[in-house]
Amino acid sequence: MEGNFKKEVIERSLDDIKVELDEEFDRNFQRKAFFDEQKWPERKFDDSKGSLLQRSGALRKSLNSKRRGVQLVYTSHKPYGRIHNEGGEIKVTRRMKGYFFGKLKEVRGKYTYKKSGERRNNQRNRQLSDEEQFYRAMALKKVGSLIKIPERRFIGSGRTTDRIIRKIVQENIDSYFKQYKITKL
């Protein structure tokens, strides 16, 4: 008695691959790397609030995978998902400049001062000073200038995804041959 190869190998393999890749792509946020192949580049400005792609977890939670025939499709409803995954350039807009001017004003209001009116030389103020420099630099960029966003890949194909897919397909083929006592050529 022979089984349905398409259903028992191809369909099962696609389902198993989806489950495995969903888990692995989610782990990429913990690894701060695309598997162990490529670590994410550090930010030029570290505000000590955690990794850029891990702060709120919104991008991680927005990942959605579904099968379309024999394809697995990954999407995110977050508009910034693609540029972080693939890298690229964004144009500075007036709205962006306004945002950074607002953040600059907000940071300036958080400093602590001595009775003499001088800023205290404490860790908090030094951190705020770094933030202030970043926000000032961003606020002073020209409208239309470009900001380069480095690739911080968290989904996609690569050596590790290929290895996972081959392993799962091979296991399902072997299981099928074993179940139906079919000898391989």
Side-chain angles (χ1 to χ4, degrees):
M1 181 174 162
E2 232 173 275
N4 183 339
F5 184 83
K6 180 182 179 199
K7 183 176 182 184
E8 294 189 36
V9 175
I10 296 173
E11 299 290 323
R12 184 182 305 150
S13 293
L14 284 169
D15 290 339
D16 293 348
I17 291 166
K18 180 185 177 306
V19 168
E20 184 68 24
L21 289 181
D22 286 354
E23 290 174 8
E24 288 296 332
F25 291 158
D26 187 60
R27 281 192 207 118
N28 285 338
F29 287 91
Q30 293 169 328
R31 289 187 272 258
K32 297 181 186 175
F34 185 64
F35 297 97
D36 289 324
E37 297 173 20
Q38 182 181 355
K39 291 283 184 197
W40 293 344
E42 294 293 322
R43 292 179 66 200
K44 289 181 184 176
F45 168 70
D46 178 21
D47 59 5
S48 71
K49 294 179 183 172
S51 171
L52 183 66
L53 298 183
Q54 292 179 316
R55 278 193 193 150
S56 68
L59 179 59
R60 184 180 191 173
K61 292 172 194 166
S62 77
L63 292 181
N64 185 25
S65 65
K66 57 179 116 177
R67 281 187 43 199
R68 285 191 192 147
V70 292
Q71 291 182 328
L72 283 178
V73 179
Y74 285 84
T75 58
S76 169
H77 64 272
K78 295 293 181 187
Y80 52 83
R82 173 175 260 161
I83 195 144
H84 280 295
N85 192 54
E86 298 171 4
E89 293 178 335
I90 57 174
K91 273 189 181 177
V92 174
T93 64
R94 288 189 197 285
R95 186 174 179 189
M96 288 169 67
K97 286 175 61 82
Y99 170 82
F100 287 114
F101 270 118
K103 292 300 276 181
L104 179 61
K105 187 176 177 183
E106 184 183 306
V107 167
R108 286 183 176 162
K110 291 182 179 180
Y111 285 109
T112 56
Y113 295 90
K114 298 177 185 177
K115 286 183 181 179
S116 65
E118 268 183 77
R119 277 190 194 163
R120 293 184 184 275
N121 187 19
N122 57 20
Q123 184 177 359
R124 182 171 186 265
N125 279 356
R126 285 190 296 275
Q127 176 66 33
L128 288 172
S129 179
D130 291 343
E131 282 184 60
E132 181 182 18
Q133 288 175 18
F134 171 74
Y135 292 137
R136 181 183 300 117
M138 295 302 289
L140 294 175
K141 284 193 170 288
K142 290 183 179 178
V143 171
S145 63
L146 297 176
I147 298 173
K148 186 173 190 253
I149 307 293
E151 177 183 300
R152 291 184 177 94
R153 193 171 188 100
F154 48 89
I155 60 173
S157 59
R159 291 188 318 257
T160 306
T161 52
D162 290 348
R163 183 182 47 77
I164 290 168
I165 291 167
R166 277 193 305 276
K167 180 180 173 244
I168 290 171
V169 170
Q170 189 61 53
E171 286 172 359
N172 284 320
I173 289 172
D174 291 347
S175 172
Y176 179 81
F177 286 149
K178 190 176 190 180
Q179 181 179 356
Y180 294 104
K181 310 243 186 294
I182 299 171
T183 54
K184 292 189 233 180
L185 298 177

